[in-house]
Amino acid sequence: MNARTGSSGFTLVELMVTVAIVALLLKFVGWGLAGVTSYEDVRMAARGLETAVQEAKTLAYEKGAVHSLIFLSTGRGYRLFRDDNANDNHTESSDGNCRRESDEPWLRSVELSSRISMSFLNSLPKNDDNQTCLAFGSDGRLMKGQGGTVTFTATGKFEAQASVSINSMGWAHVD
């Protein structure tokens, strides 16, 4: 058989080397983007809590009923409910106590990614079950007037943090 002369094209070895180089470059780009996605994950979780706080304030004001956010003891989420049993006259122990009865509806339930955890830097109030919580009265303010900071942390090779500051009036801000 005669060898073809003047043929154009790539040999199999040249193609394999090119594919290997492209694969290495993509791997390096992926490592660089992992830190960016961790940062975006915690920012999105912080923005979600900021939205939930605003929703609780708004619903409490609009519906004229106490609305409470309870943070899961695992540090992996939070839940919003309407406290139908609270009288909101600030004179009874049931006012804004962040205790959900079985007949009170969950309005929002948020579970965080397994790569993200929450911690509480300042002393947010706790209910009788020792759960961290925020209760908003019918005027849209925190019932106990005690705010704090919730920090979201991405775990793994690339760590990132974002915080939500909640002031005594119940306004939330992502830092």
Side-chain angles (χ1 to χ4, degrees), residues 45-62:
R47 291 280 181 210
L49 177 59
E50 180 185 40
T51 301
V53 168
Q54 184 61 41
E55 179 181 11
K57 285 176 62 66
T58 302
L59 287 171
Y61 183 74
E62 286 178 355

Side-chain angles (χ1 to χ4, degrees), residues 50-142:
E50 180 185 40
T51 301
V53 168
Q54 184 61 41
E55 179 181 11
K57 285 176 62 66
T58 302
L59 287 171
Y61 183 74
E62 286 178 355
K63 305 292 183 189
V66 175
H67 283 69
S68 299
L69 273 171
I70 293 180
F71 296 91
L72 302 179
S73 58
T74 60
R76 298 244 181 245
Y78 50 89
R79 294 192 171 126
L80 171 64
F81 72 97
R82 183 181 63 237
D83 192 352
D84 291 331
N85 297 331
N87 296 323
D88 195 15
N89 59 14
H90 300 276
T91 59
E92 298 179 20
S93 61
S94 65
D95 292 344
N97 66 2
C98 291
R99 294 197 67 192
R100 180 184 169 270
E101 305 297 326
S102 60
D103 62 335
E104 295 172 335
W106 289 115
L107 303 176
R108 179 188 288 235
S109 183
V110 175
E111 298 284 331
L112 299 175
S113 160
S114 61
R115 298 183 309 162
I116 298 175
S117 63
M118 277 188 304
S119 61
F120 310 103
L121 298 179
N122 298 2
S123 57
L124 288 170
K126 295 187 183 263
N127 63 15
D128 295 338
D129 298 328
N130 204 30
Q131 293 174 304
T132 303
C133 64
L134 296 168
F136 296 89
S138 60
D139 58 359
R141 297 181 184 180
L142 283 175

